[in-house]
Amino acid sequence: MSGTDSTFGIKNMADKATYERLEKDVTAVKDDIAALARQLSDALNSLAGSAGKQARRRYDEARANAETAMDDVSVRGSAMLGTAKEAASSIEDTLEDVITQRPLATVGLALGLGFLIGVTWRR
């Protein structure tokens, strides 16, 4: 039995050595996976931070462009309003001059326009 015991002992030692190597290999693989997971997490966090910064920058640019456009529209609107006021004032002055220079013609024109509007309205 001594031969069988020594064979069993050698086999058992070989199995134990193989088990220990496998255990070390599994631990190394686990460590590698953990390191890879940390690297992926760091890369994703960096990417998310970069994307967030880029989105914020684009938002700020769009807002600045919108504000510039609104300022431009406001300036143009004010200029157009000023021009319309000047035109209305000019028309008013012209009408005043015509009425003071030709009061009878103005009254006749007003009566004629009133008559035409009345005839058109009746139909």
Side-chain angles (χ1 to χ4, degrees), residues 1-11:
M1 279 218 185
S2 163
T4 306
D5 286 339
S6 66
T7 305
F8 181 70
I10 293 173
K11 187 176 180 184

Side-chain angles (χ1 to χ4, degrees), residues 39 65 75-78 101-102:
Q39 288 176 350
N65 289 342
V75 167
R76 287 183 182 187
S78 295
Q101 291 174 0
R102 298 182 183 157

Side-chain angles (χ1 to χ4, degrees), residues 14-83:
D15 287 344
K16 187 175 181 181
T18 303
Y19 177 77
E20 288 174 357
R21 269 186 303 184
L22 283 175
E23 193 173 42
K24 286 180 186 179
D25 289 344
V26 168
T27 302
V29 168
K30 284 182 182 179
D31 291 342
D32 290 344
I33 290 173
L36 183 60
R38 282 191 301 274
Q39 288 176 350
L40 279 173
S41 176
D42 291 344
L44 289 175
N45 287 336
S46 175
L47 181 64
S50 178
K53 287 178 186 176
Q54 188 176 15
R56 183 66 165 166
R57 191 175 330 115
R58 298 284 186 205
Y59 170 77
D60 290 341
E61 288 174 5
R63 186 174 181 169
N65 289 342
E67 288 175 356
T68 301
M70 289 301 293
D71 290 343
D72 188 38
V73 167
S74 177
V75 167
R76 287 183 182 187
S78 295
M80 288 173 60
L81 182 62
T83 303

Side-chain angles (χ1 to χ4, degrees), residues 97-112:
D97 291 342
V98 168
I99 290 171
T100 56
Q101 291 174 0
R102 298 182 183 157
L104 290 176
T106 305
V107 171
L109 181 64
L111 286 172

